[in-house]
Amino acid sequence: MAPGTNSLTRFYDGWPAYQSMLVERIATLTPEQLALQAAPHQRPVWLIAAHIIGTRVGWFHGFMGEGDPSIAAFDPWDFDDAPPRTAAELMAGLTATWQMIEDGLNHWTPENLADSFSRRYGEREVTHPRAWVIWHVLEHDIHHGGELFLTLGSHGLPTPEM
């Protein structure tokens, strides 16, 4: 979707480049490289990528109701019992979830940042404005993308120049 003249894309213009770095790096990884961990108690690369995907789905789709219902299929990819994912699957998940995010940034306006969403988690109800959700997912992408790149770099694999 092309951005509207009053869309949010101009406020988040670095995020697409970061998304591209994630997808480009995942695309070249073998199953053995996807299984690498920074330490035995840390997540493997595939699970870090799956966690980025699952979090995008959880907040944008599950919390704010964005995206096609089929996007929900990516949500359990980072559950404790989830099977390892291939580079092709992870690229598909990153691409599909990015499209959901980009579609939102293209049609939301600055006024939409104040829209609030609520969801019950057991006995607790959580409410956040759209602005908080967008920032939270962006910072989550950066945090875990850094973790993914650090893991690859600690094993001598190339990482993006920042």
Side-chain angles (χ1 to χ4, degrees):
M1 173 186 289
T5 57
N6 201 23
S7 76
L8 298 180
T9 55
R10 63 191 166 137
F11 298 111
Y12 300 98
D13 64 355
W15 204 352
Y18 197 77
Q19 160 71 11
S20 292
M21 285 189 283
L22 285 170
V23 170
E24 289 168 12
R25 194 60 203 106
I26 291 292
T28 64
L29 298 177
T30 66
E32 293 77 21
Q33 292 168 329
L34 287 168
L36 294 172
Q37 298 168 263
H41 62 283
Q42 298 295 318
R43 295 175 177 148
V45 169
W46 76 265
L47 188 53
I48 298 168
H51 181 60
I52 292 169
I53 294 163
T55 298
R56 289 173 171 186
V57 172
W59 283 105
F60 273 73
H61 181 70
F63 195 74
M64 293 194 301
E66 293 296 322
D68 186 88
S70 65
I71 201 92
F74 295 112
D75 192 32
W77 280 19
D78 69 336
F79 289 4
D80 289 339
D81 59 349
R85 300 293 170 175
T86 66
E89 288 174 309
L90 294 167
M91 285 175 41
L94 287 167
T95 301
T97 57
W98 175 250
Q99 187 61 58
M100 173 184 60
I101 292 168
E102 188 172 53
D103 288 348
L105 295 176
N106 284 338
H107 76 263
W108 297 324
T109 66
E111 292 75 27
N112 295 133
L113 291 171
D115 296 344
S116 285
F117 301 86
S118 297
R119 185 170 178 183
R120 291 200 74 67
Y121 294 95
E123 297 295 316
R124 195 174 113 219
E125 183 165 336
V126 175
T127 301
H128 294 293
R130 186 183 316 276
W132 184 93
V133 174
I134 295 169
W135 168 247
H136 180 65
V137 174
L138 173 57
E139 73 178 338
H140 186 270
D141 272 21
I142 294 168
H143 173 83
H144 289 293
E147 178 186 13
L148 189 151
F149 297 142
L150 175 70
T151 301
L152 294 173
S154 70
H155 288 281
L157 295 169
T159 58
E161 292 292 324
M162 298 282 180

